[in-house]
Short mmCIF file of all heavy atoms in Angstrom, two decimals:
data_model
loop_
_atom_site.label_atom_id
_atom_site.label_comp_id
_atom_site.label_asym_id
_atom_site.label_seq_id
_atom_site.Cartn_x
_atom_site.Cartn_y
_atom_site.Cartn_z
N PHE F 99 31.37 142.70 -24.63
CA PHE F 99 32.76 142.56 -24.47
C PHE F 99 33.23 141.17 -24.39
O PHE F 99 34.24 140.79 -23.87
CB PHE F 99 33.19 143.32 -23.24
CG PHE F 99 32.80 144.71 -23.06
CD1 PHE F 99 31.84 145.00 -22.12
CD2 PHE F 99 33.35 145.71 -23.98
CE1 PHE F 99 31.39 146.39 -22.10
CE2 PHE F 99 32.91 147.00 -23.76
CZ PHE F 99 32.00 147.46 -22.92
N GLN F 100 32.52 140.24 -24.98
CA GLN F 100 32.85 138.83 -25.05
C GLN F 100 33.37 138.30 -23.88
O GLN F 100 34.61 137.93 -23.78
CB GLN F 100 33.92 138.77 -26.32
CG GLN F 100 33.29 139.23 -27.63
CD GLN F 100 34.30 139.02 -28.83
OE1 GLN F 100 35.49 138.74 -28.50
NE2 GLN F 100 33.90 139.21 -29.97
N PRO F 101 32.63 138.16 -22.82
CA PRO F 101 33.26 137.72 -21.59
C PRO F 101 33.69 136.17 -21.58
O PRO F 101 34.40 135.72 -20.81
CB PRO F 101 31.98 137.84 -20.51
CG PRO F 101 30.79 137.87 -21.48
CD PRO F 101 31.21 138.41 -22.82
N LEU F 102 33.02 135.45 -22.58
CA LEU F 102 33.49 133.99 -22.61
C LEU F 102 34.93 133.79 -23.09
O LEU F 102 35.39 132.66 -22.98
CB LEU F 102 32.47 133.29 -23.55
CG LEU F 102 31.01 133.26 -23.13
CD1 LEU F 102 30.23 132.52 -24.02
CD2 LEU F 102 30.89 132.65 -21.68
N LEU F 103 35.52 134.82 -23.63
CA LEU F 103 36.91 134.69 -23.99
C LEU F 103 37.84 134.48 -22.89
O LEU F 103 38.88 133.74 -22.92
CB LEU F 103 37.37 135.97 -24.84
CG LEU F 103 36.93 136.06 -26.26
CD1 LEU F 103 37.37 137.36 -26.88
CD2 LEU F 103 37.43 134.93 -27.01
N SER F 104 37.45 135.03 -21.71
CA SER F 104 38.35 134.94 -20.49
C SER F 104 38.15 133.52 -20.01
O SER F 104 39.11 133.07 -19.22
CB SER F 104 37.87 135.93 -19.46
OG SER F 104 36.51 135.64 -19.12
N LEU F 105 37.21 132.77 -20.33
CA LEU F 105 37.05 131.44 -19.81
C LEU F 105 37.97 130.48 -20.52
O LEU F 105 38.38 129.45 -20.00
CB LEU F 105 35.59 130.98 -19.96
CG LEU F 105 34.55 131.88 -19.25
CD1 LEU F 105 33.16 131.19 -19.39
CD2 LEU F 105 34.87 131.86 -17.68
N THR F 106 38.29 130.85 -21.76
CA THR F 106 39.27 130.03 -22.55
C THR F 106 40.60 130.50 -22.61
O THR F 106 41.59 129.99 -23.21
CB THR F 106 38.64 129.81 -23.95
OG1 THR F 106 38.52 131.16 -24.61
CG2 THR F 106 37.29 129.10 -23.99
N ASP F 107 40.78 131.76 -21.97
CA ASP F 107 42.11 132.36 -22.04
C ASP F 107 42.97 131.82 -20.82
O ASP F 107 42.56 131.12 -19.95
CB ASP F 107 42.04 133.87 -21.88
CG ASP F 107 43.23 134.66 -22.35
OD1 ASP F 107 44.14 133.99 -22.83
OD2 ASP F 107 43.19 135.83 -22.28
N ARG F 108 44.24 132.10 -21.02
CA ARG F 108 45.26 131.58 -19.91
C ARG F 108 46.17 132.79 -19.63
O ARG F 108 46.55 133.61 -20.52
CB ARG F 108 46.11 130.36 -20.54
CG ARG F 108 45.20 129.18 -20.64
CD ARG F 108 44.79 128.60 -19.30
NE ARG F 108 44.10 127.29 -19.51
CZ ARG F 108 42.82 127.26 -19.62
NH1 ARG F 108 42.12 128.36 -19.72
NH2 ARG F 108 42.29 126.05 -19.78
N PRO F 109 46.63 132.83 -18.42
CA PRO F 109 47.55 134.07 -18.05
C PRO F 109 48.87 133.85 -18.67
O PRO F 109 49.32 132.67 -19.00
CB PRO F 109 47.70 133.88 -16.49
CG PRO F 109 47.35 132.42 -16.08
CD PRO F 109 46.25 132.10 -17.24
N ALA F 110 49.58 134.92 -18.99
CA ALA F 110 50.92 134.82 -19.62
C ALA F 110 51.93 134.37 -18.80
O ALA F 110 52.80 133.50 -19.19
CB ALA F 110 51.27 136.31 -20.10
#
Side-chain angles (χ1 to χ4, degrees):
F99 308 111
Q100 298 181 349
L102 296 180
L103 284 175
S104 61
L105 300 180
T106 59
D107 200 2
R108 293 290 183 270

